[in-house]
């Protein structure tokens, strides 16, 4: 169900900005996302001659120009952005993005600048993992599960947990949740510690070993440690023939190439450790979904390697009671199950609905107080009104101080 004022113009311009690609499209209810365009991301990795300030200006220009180009052909005034960055889910302040801007973590008021640069649009911004989780949860609404953890393994690594029962994504006091890619990790190979730099500028983070770029760096490091195994590996041969790294790795794993198996084993270990700890802390995680280019492209290889880790070291006691504990919970997302563009649209629709309902609720509170129907128990200017995300055909409204992102 869409907001009444939205139904006459049921279009949202949507963006999905990752560390590898920028995508844009048009969400039209009930058709979904149409007219999708993709280009290489404007990032420090692909444009090393640009300063971070210039990269951010370039991003702003890209968003405004692309939105205006779409608007030339259709009536649309709402734009929603799924951004691969750590951001404050309450107000949209962007804290940083290793894949896009490297070690820079100066606050970026992208939403404010967009409103100033193109005030003809209503702009919304949401973390890309949150957007993907919104879309996945929409299709999982009929499943008998309590919580979903969505973990993306791509140019960056992060996760989000959604409580399906109240459609709530908890945030800390800084508007964050699930920035696991920058957690420190100790990874060893044959008794020797492995050392790698992360895009954020720090050392030995999960993303340094397990992200797409991290796996490339790890591959080079292992090639130095095992030069003979690398030279005769199927992965080395395919890369020398000019095949893309991701495709070559998948083919090498299909052939059970020893070097590639070692590489995937090491790259997935930090992810397995995170998931094992997550289940130990929160046993209500009934479904764990992996998405992102690395996990989706390697698919069964990736999941089977995770299961190998869990067979070597399971969850204390629980794995003894239930040998299928991890197998029942962990899935690799299918191509149509996690769509950040559609998730961005769902987020914007909910934000607009929230705005309407918060005004209506405030009016009702004022009316009730003026007519002595109730005693006021909230500060009408406090802004403590929240709306759950769209998971079913109905909107579930809450009146709480919770944060949604």
């Amino acid at each position: 169900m869409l907001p009444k004022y939205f139904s006459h113009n049921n279009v949202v311009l949507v963006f999905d900005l990752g560390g590898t690609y920028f995508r844009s499209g048009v969400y039209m209810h009930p058709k979904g996302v149409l007219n999708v365009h993709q280009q290489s991301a404007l990032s420090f990795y692909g444009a090393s001659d640009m300063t971070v300030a210039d990269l951010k200006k370039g991003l702003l220009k890209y968003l405004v120009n692309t939105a205006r180009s779409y608007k030339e052909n259709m009536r649309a005034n709402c734009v929603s952005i799924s951004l691969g960055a750590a951001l404050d889910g309450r107000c949209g302040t962007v804290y940083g993005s290793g894949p896009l801007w490297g070690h820079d973590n100066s606050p970026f008021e992208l939403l404010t600048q967009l409103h100033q640069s193109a005030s003809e649009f209503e702009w919304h911004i949401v973390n890309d993992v949150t957007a993907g989780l919104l879309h996945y949860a929409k299709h999982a609404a009929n499943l008998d599960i309590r919580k979903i953890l969505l973990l993306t393994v791509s140019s960056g690594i992060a996760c989000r947990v959604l409580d399906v029962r109240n459609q709530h994504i908890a945030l800390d006091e800084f508007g964050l949740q699930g920035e696991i890619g920058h957690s420190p990790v100790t990874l060893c190979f044959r008794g020797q510690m492995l050392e790698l730099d992360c895009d954020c500028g720090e050392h030995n983070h999960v993303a340094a070993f397990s992200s797409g770029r991290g796996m490339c760096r790890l591959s080079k490091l292992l090639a130095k440690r095992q030069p003979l195994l690398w030279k005769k590996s199927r992965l080395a041969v395919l890369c020398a023939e000019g095949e893309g790294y991701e495709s070559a790795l998948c083919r090498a794993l299909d052939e059970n190439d020893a070097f590639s198996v070692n590489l995937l084993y090491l790259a997935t270990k930090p992810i397995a450790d995170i998931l094992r700890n997550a289940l130990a802390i929160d046993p209500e995680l009934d479904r764990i979904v992996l998405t992102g280019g690395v996990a989706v492209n390697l698919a069964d290889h990736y999941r089977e390697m995770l299961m190998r880790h869990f067979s070597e070291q399971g969850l204390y006691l629980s794995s003894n009671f239930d040998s299928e504990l991890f197998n029942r919970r962990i899935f690799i997302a299918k191509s149509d199950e996690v769509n950040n563009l559609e998730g961005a649209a769902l987020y914007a629709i909910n934000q607009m609905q929230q705005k309407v309902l918060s005004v209506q609720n405030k009016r009702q509170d004022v009316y009730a107080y003026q007519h002595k129907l109730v005693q006021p128990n909230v500060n009408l200017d406090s802004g403590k009104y929240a709306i759950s995300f769209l998971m079913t055909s109905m909107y579930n409204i809450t009146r709480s101080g919770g944060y949604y992102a």
Side-chain angles (χ1 to χ4, degrees), residues 384-403:
K384 289 188 176 181
Y385 289 75
I387 181 170
S388 65
F389 288 118
L390 176 59
M391 301 304 164
T392 65
S393 61
M394 300 298 291
Y395 286 86
N396 176 22
I397 309 303
T398 70
R399 292 280 308 281
S400 73
Y403 298 124

Side-chain angles (χ1 to χ4, degrees), residues 143-195:
L143 298 176
D144 184 20
I145 52 180
R146 293 166 293 182
K147 292 182 181 179
I148 302 171
L149 185 153
L150 182 78
L151 191 155
T152 184
V153 186
S154 188
S155 55
I157 295 176
C159 73
R160 287 292 185 278
V161 175
L162 170 81
D163 191 324
V164 178
R165 296 162 295 190
N166 58 19
Q167 276 115 65
H168 186 76
I169 296 177
L171 301 178
D172 66 15
E173 62 268 38
F174 311 108
L176 295 167
Q177 190 217 123
E179 297 298 332
I180 58 173
H182 300 288
S183 298
V185 63
T186 300
L187 194 64
C188 295
F189 177 66
R190 296 189 173 179
Q192 290 185 315
M193 186 172 173
L194 298 173
E195 302 265 359

Side-chain angles (χ1 to χ4, degrees), residues 17-85:
L17 309 179
T20 306
Y21 296 109
F22 286 175
R23 295 190 302 146
S24 61
V26 181
Y27 174 85
M28 302 182 70
H29 180 78
K31 296 179 181 179
V33 180
L34 308 172
N35 301 334
V36 176
H37 297 279
Q38 178 174 291
Q39 68 175 61
S40 296
L42 183 62
S43 71
F44 85 102
Y45 196 76
S48 57
D49 58 326
M50 295 179 66
T51 66
V52 173
D54 288 337
L55 289 172
K56 291 180 178 179
K57 289 178 183 177
L59 174 62
L60 181 68
K61 183 178 179 180
Y62 161 76
L63 289 168
V64 171
N65 290 346
T66 305
R68 285 174 174 164
S69 68
Y70 276 115
K71 192 174 183 179
E72 290 177 357
N73 301 313
M74 63 190 64
R75 185 183 176 191
N77 58 13
C78 179
V79 186
S80 189
I81 303 161
S82 160
L83 180 61

